[in-house]
């Protein structure tokens, strides 16, 4: 009777090992399927977001051009203003520099006066 009990135990152990192996294979297959499904969803989401970005860029492309044109106009007007001030004050600044070079007026430095 002990021999038949051992055989029964070995048979049951073999069946259990088979069930465990099948469960592992099933789990491995399910993980592979889950990864594949997740990658598919990621790819679809990526395509969707890229199309939304392209649509957004197309909708707002005109705004960037308009802002660039306005900035160029503002820069040109400021540049013209600077050039006008330069032309207006050029002679007086040159005269001031020449006078300061030719006729210096010595003054005591602030730090020397305190010491």
């Amino acid at each position: 009777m002990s021999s038949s009990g051992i055989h029964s135990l070995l048979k049951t152990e073999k069946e259990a090992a088979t069930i465990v192996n099948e469960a592992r294979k099933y789990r491995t297959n399910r993980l592979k399927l889950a990864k594949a499904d997740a990658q598919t969803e990621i790819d679809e989401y990526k395509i969707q977001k890229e199309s939304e970005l392209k649509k957004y860029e197309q909708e707002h492309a005109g705004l960037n051009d308009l802002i660039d044109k306005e900035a160029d106009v503002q820069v040109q007007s400021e540049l013209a203003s600077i050039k006008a001030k330069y032309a207006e004050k050029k002679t007086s600044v040159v005269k001031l520099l020449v006078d300061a070079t030719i006729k210096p007026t010595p003054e005591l430095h602030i730090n020397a006066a305190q010491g």
Side-chain angles (χ1 to χ4, degrees):
M1 183 147 198
S2 71
S3 164
S4 70
I6 293 174
H7 287 294
S8 173
L9 187 59
L10 289 173
K11 182 180 177 187
T12 306
E13 190 177 315
K14 199 180 270 189
E15 289 174 1
T18 304
I19 292 171
V20 168
N21 284 336
E22 288 177 9
R24 285 183 183 150
K25 287 179 187 176
Y26 177 77
R27 185 176 130 234
T28 303
N29 288 337
R30 293 295 292 169
L31 284 173
K32 286 180 183 177
L33 286 173
K35 277 186 176 181
D37 289 345
Q39 189 61 45
T40 303
E41 285 183 31
I42 289 169
D43 292 341
E44 289 173 0
Y45 185 74
K46 184 178 179 181
I47 291 169
Q48 175 190 352
K49 289 300 175 182
E50 285 176 352
S51 69
E52 287 177 12
L53 176 63
K54 287 180 184 176
K55 182 179 176 184
Y56 180 83
E57 287 174 346
Q58 289 173 353
E59 289 175 356
H60 294 88
L63 291 177
N64 289 340
D65 293 339
L66 180 64
I67 290 171
D68 287 344
K69 287 178 184 177
E70 288 176 359
D72 286 342
V73 168
Q74 184 179 1
V75 165
Q76 292 301 324
S77 77
E78 289 178 9
L79 188 58
S81 172
I82 290 170
K83 285 182 180 180
K85 284 195 187 245
Y86 165 75
E88 177 186 322
K89 304 216 181 225
K90 175 182 171 184
T91 55
S92 63
V93 170
V94 169
K95 183 180 180 318
L96 180 70
L97 288 172
V98 168
D99 287 346
T101 305
I102 295 173
K103 305 172 194 172
T105 54
E107 295 178 5
L108 193 58
H109 192 269
I110 295 172
N111 291 338
Q114 292 176 358

